[in-house]
C-alpha cells in the first residue's frame, strides 16, 4: 500500500526525497573529495621530491663526466666547468631542501654530499696542481679519489630517487582504487535512495 495516494502528495514527496538523496550524496562527496585530495597531495609531494632529486642526480653525473673530460684533455675551460659543477653539487637551495625535512635519511644524504663536495673541491685543487707540475693524469692518485667520491655521491642521490619513485608507485594505484570505490559508493547510495523512495511512493507492488 503506497504511503502517498494523491498525485500532489507524491510530487511533493518525490521532490523532498530527491532533495534528501542529493544532500546525502553531496555530503558524502565532500568528505570523499577531502580524502582524495589528501592522498593526491601526498602523490604530488612525492612527484616534486622526485623532480628535485633528479636535478641532484643530473648535477653529480655531469660533474663525473666533466672530470673525465678534464682528465683526458686538461684545460682552463675544463677546470672551470668542473669547479662550477662542484659548486652546483654542494649547493642545495632552501626550497629544495624543504622537500626532505620530514625525511631524516634524505636530509643526512644531502648533508653528506655537501661535505663530500667540499672534499672533492680540495682534492681537485691538488689534482690541478699536479697536472700543472707535468704529472700525467693516470699517475695522480687524486684522480681515483675523485672518481670514488663521485660514485659515492651518485649512490646516495640514486637511493633518494628510488625512495621517491617507490612512494609515487605506491600512491598512484591507491588514488585510482579510491576514486573507483568512491564512484561505486555514490552510485550505490543513489540507487538505494531511489528504490526506497519509489517504494514509499508506490508501495512494494509498484
Amino acid at each position: 500500500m503506497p504511503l502517498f495516494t494523491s498525485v500532489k502528495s507524491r510530487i511533493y514527496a518525490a521532490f523532498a526525497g530527491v532533495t534528501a538523496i542529493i544532500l546525502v550524496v553531496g555530503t558524502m562527496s565532500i568528505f570523499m573529495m577531502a580524502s582524495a585530495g589528501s592522498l593526491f597531495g601526498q602523490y604530488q609531494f612525492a612527484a616534486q621530491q622526485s623532480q628535485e632529486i633528479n636535478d641532484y642526480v643530473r648535477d653529480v653525473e655531469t660533474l663525473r663526466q666533466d672530470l673525465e673530460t678534464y682528465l683526458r684533455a686538461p684545460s682552463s675551460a675544463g677546470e672551470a666547468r668542473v669547479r662550477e659543477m662542484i659548486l652546483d653539487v654542494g649547493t642545495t637551495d632552501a626550497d629544495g631542501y624543504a622537500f626532505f625535512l620530514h625525511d631524516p635519511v634524505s636530509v643526512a644524504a644531502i648533508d653528506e654530499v655537501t661535505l663530500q663536495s667540499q672534499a672533492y673541491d680540495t682534492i681537485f685543487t691538488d689534482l690541478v696542481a699536479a697536472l700543472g707540475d707535468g704529472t700525467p693524469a693516470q699517475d695522480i692518485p687524486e684522480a681515483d679519489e675523485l672518481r670514488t667520491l663521485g660514485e659515492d655521491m651518485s649512490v646516495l642521490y640514486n637511493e633518494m630517487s628510488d625512495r621517491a619513485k617507490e612512494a609515487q608507485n605506491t600512491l598512484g594505484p591507491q588514488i585510482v582504487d579510491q576514486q573507483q570505490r568512491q564512484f561505486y559508493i555514490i552510485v550505490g547510495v543513489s540507487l538505494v535512495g531511489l528504490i526506497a523512495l519509489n517504494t514509499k511512493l508506490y508501495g512494494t507492488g509498484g
Side-chain angles (χ1 to χ4, degrees):
M1 195 59 195
L3 183 61
F4 303 98
T5 55
S6 70
V7 173
K8 185 176 182 179
S9 63
R10 286 182 178 180
I11 292 174
Y12 285 143
F15 179 77
V18 171
T19 301
I21 292 172
I22 292 173
L23 287 173
V24 170
V25 171
T27 301
M28 291 176 61
S29 298
I30 291 173
F31 284 107
M32 289 178 177
M33 287 176 62
S35 175
S38 174
L39 198 59
F40 183 76
Q42 295 176 45
Y43 179 86
Q44 188 177 37
F45 186 79
Q48 291 172 322
Q49 277 188 318
S50 184
Q51 183 176 359
E52 185 72 17
I53 295 167
N54 287 341
D55 290 341
Y56 300 166
V57 172
R58 184 177 62 248
D59 285 347
V60 169
E61 296 309 318
T62 300
L63 171 60
R64 296 174 72 187
Q65 292 170 8
D66 286 348
L67 173 68
E68 295 302 328
T69 299
Y70 177 73
L71 290 174
R72 286 193 299 270
S75 67
S76 58
E79 178 187 347
R81 282 196 296 271
V82 173
R83 291 197 183 279
E84 180 182 358
M85 291 313 305
I86 293 173
L87 181 61
D88 284 348
V89 169
T91 304
T92 305
D93 62 86
D95 290 339
Y97 196 79
F99 283 122
F100 308 100
L101 290 178
H102 71 290
D103 180 3
V105 176
S106 293
V107 167
I110 294 172
D111 292 344
E112 178 64 21
V113 169
T114 299
L115 292 174
Q116 289 176 334
S117 70
Q118 294 169 1
Y120 197 106
D121 185 53
T122 300
I123 296 171
F124 182 68
T125 297
D126 293 340
L127 180 142
V128 171
L131 286 171
D133 291 338
T135 307
Q138 64 268 22
D139 295 335
I140 301 175
E142 284 83 357
D144 287 334
E145 291 181 42
L146 292 173
R147 291 188 179 104
T148 299
L149 271 177
E151 183 177 357
D152 290 345
M153 290 188 287
S154 180
V155 168
L156 286 170
Y157 278 155
N158 276 293
E159 287 176 349
M160 285 177 61
S161 179
D162 290 341
R163 287 195 297 273
K165 289 175 183 176
E166 183 179 355
Q168 283 184 276
N169 293 337
T170 300
L171 290 168
Q174 288 181 3
I175 292 173
V176 174
D177 290 343
Q178 187 180 64
Q179 289 175 334
Q180 290 177 339
R181 284 198 306 271
Q182 290 174 352
F183 172 77
Y184 291 132
I185 289 172
I186 289 174
V187 171
V189 170
S190 300
L191 288 175
V192 170
L194 290 173
I195 292 171
L197 178 60
N198 180 72
T199 300
K200 288 293 185 181
L201 292 176
Y202 300 104
T204 55

